């Protein structure tokens, strides 16, 4: 009898082990296989949340088939304690395993509502926008100039939410003074910047920040990023450049940055200045003259006067036969690389061509013809603008 009972018990044990093993295999399949989500969603993980709440939220939104299996899988991978706060875009049909990786990996949030402070050459604007997970496009909720007398309610309401993201987007070609001035007007940041950083030392880029972050800490991040970019460009530079130091490369890149906003032209523009330096010619570039007048503190807002083009200043490249003493703006990666690896061209002249780009020339005669064509375009545009003004047209 006891032998029969033992045999039955052993049989039940074997069956149980098979059932448990089958359950584990099934659960792992559920964890690793594509999930049931049919449309992308944005999952918000508040600070202080836990895996139980997040798993239930995911189950409620149809992103996972089982909150329990999701938690067991996260525990098994030892990732439960690595949950990160933020807003995360969950794509359709991603597995539980992939979702666990997304919400524990950390880094910048990938969806939700964000406020972007855009530091541009002519203005600083503030944009409030929200990502629509279904289309992966941002919907703008508000936009206004920093310092405006009336601030949209959408901004103040969004700014004080716990899960909102903040970014400072610095455009290529802004000056260090413009960056510091813009940061000083951002009400989410704290601390002072006692001294304007050296011109050219701040990397234009998009920086994620948090409410209460120190302004000087962000400046330090920008400086470290620019040091890295400059070192890489200097390392990759052409051997025959008439440039003797990383600082001179930075100066040349800043001039290229201010001379063209057309990405495809940067290396051509750089080639003109390199050719001029090689031939001992003056660079004769307006942006350096303007910097000598403004010191990088704002926009000139008018054309240059003849007296200013003749004035002997350290930045007047119509007078000095070399690079100016410092950069005239903060160049981005593309302009740094254009200065380090310019195109090989015979060009020594260029002028605007009316399309946003430039017409390049080898001889002065060709250049003068290009200038005449540009003056004609300017005159036609001026006449059209005057005609619109007189008739009340837009």
């Amino acid at each position: 009898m006891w032998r029969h009972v033992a045999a039955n018990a052993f049989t039940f044990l074997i069956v149980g082990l098979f059932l448990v093993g089958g359950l584990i295999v099934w659960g792992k399949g559920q964890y690793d296989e594509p999930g049931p989500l049919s449309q992308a969603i944005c999952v918000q993980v508040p600070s202080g949340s836990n895996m139980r709440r997040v798993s239930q939220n995911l189950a409620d939104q149809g992103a996972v088939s089982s909150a329990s299996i999701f938690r067991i899988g996260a525990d098994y991978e030892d990732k439960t304690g690595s949950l990160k706060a933020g807003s995360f875009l969950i794509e359709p049909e991603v597995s539980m395993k992939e979702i666990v990786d997304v919400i524990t990996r950390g880094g910048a949030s990938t969806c939700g509502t964000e406020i972007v402070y855009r530091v541009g050459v002519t203005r600083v604007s503030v944009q409030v926008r929200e990502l629509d997970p279904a289309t992966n496009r941002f919907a703008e909720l508000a936009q206004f100039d920093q310092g405006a007398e009336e601030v949209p309610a959408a901004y103040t309401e969004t700014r004080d939410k716990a899960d909102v993201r903040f970014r400072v987007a610095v455009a290529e070609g802004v000056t260090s003074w413009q960056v510091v001035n813009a940061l000083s007007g951002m009400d989410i940041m704290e601390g002072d910047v006692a001294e304007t950083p050296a011109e050219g030392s701040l990397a234009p880029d998009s920086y994620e920040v948090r409410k209460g972050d120190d302004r000087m800490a962000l400046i330090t991040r920008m400086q470290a990023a620019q040091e890295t970019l400059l070192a890489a460009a200097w390392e990759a530079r052409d051997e025959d450049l008439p440039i003797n130091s990383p600082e001179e490369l930075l100066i040349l890149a800043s001039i290229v940055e201010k001379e063209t906003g057309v990405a495809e032209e940067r290396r051509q523009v750089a080639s003109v200045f390199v050719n001029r330096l090689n031939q001992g010619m003056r660079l004769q570039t307006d942006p350096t003259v303007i910097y000598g007048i403004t010191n990088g503190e704002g926009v000139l807002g008018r054309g240059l006067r003849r007296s200013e083009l003749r004035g002997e200043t350290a930045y007047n490249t119509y007078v000095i036969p070399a690079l100016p003493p410092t950069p005239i703006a903060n160049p981005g990666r593309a302009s740094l690389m254009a200065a380090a690896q310019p195109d090989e061209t015979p060009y020594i002249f260029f002028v605007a061509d009316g399309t946003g780009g430039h017409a390049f020339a080898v001889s002065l005669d060709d250049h003068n013809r290009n200038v005449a064509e540009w003056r004609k375009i300017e005159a036609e545009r001026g006449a059209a603008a005057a005609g619109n003004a007189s008739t009340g047209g837009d």
Side-chain angles (χ1 to χ4, degrees), residues 171-381:
E172 293 92 344
V174 299
T175 66
S176 294
W177 180 89
Q178 288 175 315
V179 173
V180 172
N181 189 56
L183 293 181
S184 299
M186 295 178 191
D187 56 6
I188 64 161
M189 304 199 76
E190 298 178 358
D192 297 321
V193 179
E195 185 177 356
T196 301
E199 196 64 81
S201 66
L202 308 177
D205 206 341
S206 181
Y207 298 87
E208 184 139 356
V209 297
R210 296 181 183 276
K211 196 173 183 180
D213 275 1
D214 182 71
R215 293 182 175 90
M216 194 60 218
L218 178 55
I219 289 289
T220 301
R221 286 169 59 193
M222 293 179 182
Q223 290 174 321
Q226 191 73 325
E227 288 176 5
T228 300
L229 292 176
L230 179 58
W234 180 251
E235 182 67 22
R237 75 190 185 282
D238 292 344
E239 293 182 358
D240 57 349
L241 286 181
I243 300 295
N244 299 313
S245 67
E247 178 63 20
E248 288 188 354
L249 180 65
L250 188 63
I251 294 170
L252 178 57
S254 73
I255 297 174
V256 173
E257 192 70 81
K258 297 299 287 186
E259 275 287 10
T260 182
V262 179
E264 296 78 11
E265 276 192 352
R266 287 191 176 104
R267 293 181 190 271
Q268 281 184 298
V269 169
S271 77
V272 171
F273 294 128
V274 166
N275 291 340
R276 282 179 167 262
L277 288 171
N278 280 328
Q279 296 179 39
M281 298 176 65
R282 296 182 179 90
L283 298 187
Q284 296 184 326
T285 170
D286 290 358
T288 61
V289 182
I290 294 171
Y291 189 85
I293 298 169
T294 66
N295 292 315
E297 299 180 1
V299 180
L300 184 60
R302 59 171 174 79
L304 284 167
R305 304 186 179 105
R306 290 186 179 275
S307 60
E308 291 168 337
L309 292 173
R310 292 193 296 265
E312 294 188 13
T313 73
Y315 289 90
N316 188 350
T317 51
Y318 285 87
V319 176
I320 61 173
L323 291 166
T326 73
I328 60 172
N330 290 287
R333 182 197 304 268
S335 289
L336 284 166
M337 290 307 300
Q341 299 174 347
D343 284 348
E344 291 187 15
T345 75
Y347 301 137
I348 55 174
F349 301 101
F350 64 86
V351 68
D353 65 0
T355 67
H358 294 84
F360 295 84
V362 177
S363 70
L364 182 58
D365 287 343
D366 286 345
H367 177 61
N368 286 337
R369 280 190 286 272
N370 291 338
V371 170
E373 186 64 27
W374 169 237
R375 298 299 182 214
K376 179 181 176 182
I377 293 171
E378 281 188 311
E380 290 172 350
R381 288 178 177 176

Side-chain angles (χ1 to χ4, degrees), residues 110-112 114 129-132 135-140 165:
T110 53
C111 64
E114 67 175 14
R129 62 184 195 171
E130 185 172 24
L131 182 70
D132 179 359
T135 62
N136 203 26
R137 294 178 179 273
F138 279 99
E140 185 174 283
R165 293 181 297 143

Side-chain angles (χ1 to χ4, degrees), residues 21-169:
L23 186 61
I24 292 173
V25 171
W26 175 81
K28 189 176 186 309
Q30 291 288 301
Y31 186 73
D32 292 338
E33 292 172 0
L37 195 62
S38 60
Q39 182 172 287
I41 62 171
C42 184
V43 172
Q44 296 177 346
V45 182
S47 180
S49 188
N50 57 48
M51 197 64 77
R52 178 175 290 277
R53 295 196 196 105
V54 173
S55 64
Q56 192 56 56
N57 181 17
L58 288 166
D60 291 342
Q61 296 195 65
V64 299
S65 57
S66 170
S68 299
I69 293 176
F70 182 88
R71 291 195 300 273
I72 292 170
D75 282 337
Y76 180 78
E77 293 191 306
D78 198 24
K79 291 185 175 182
T80 297
S82 301
L83 184 64
K84 301 295 191 297
S87 298
F88 304 103
L89 182 66
I90 307 300
E91 300 285 357
E93 298 184 354
V94 294
S95 67
M96 297 187 201
K97 181 181 178 65
E98 291 171 314
I99 295 175
V100 167
D101 181 62
V102 167
I103 63 177
T104 60
R105 185 171 58 237
S109 294
T110 53
C111 64
T113 307
E114 67 175 14
I115 295 177
V116 185
Y117 302 88
R118 300 189 183 279
V119 184
V121 173
T122 59
R123 63 192 283 244
V124 180
S125 63
V126 184
Q127 182 185 40
V128 184
R129 62 184 195 171
E130 185 172 24
L131 182 70
D132 179 359
T135 62
N136 203 26
R137 294 178 179 273
F138 279 99
E140 185 174 283
L141 305 180
Q143 182 168 333
F144 60 98
D145 285 345
Q146 183 173 279
E149 292 184 5
E150 293 186 12
V151 177
Y155 171 73
T156 53
E157 292 170 359
T158 303
R159 179 195 59 194
D160 297 329
K161 291 181 179 179
D163 59 346
V164 67
R165 293 181 297 143
F166 300 96
R167 284 196 299 114
V168 176

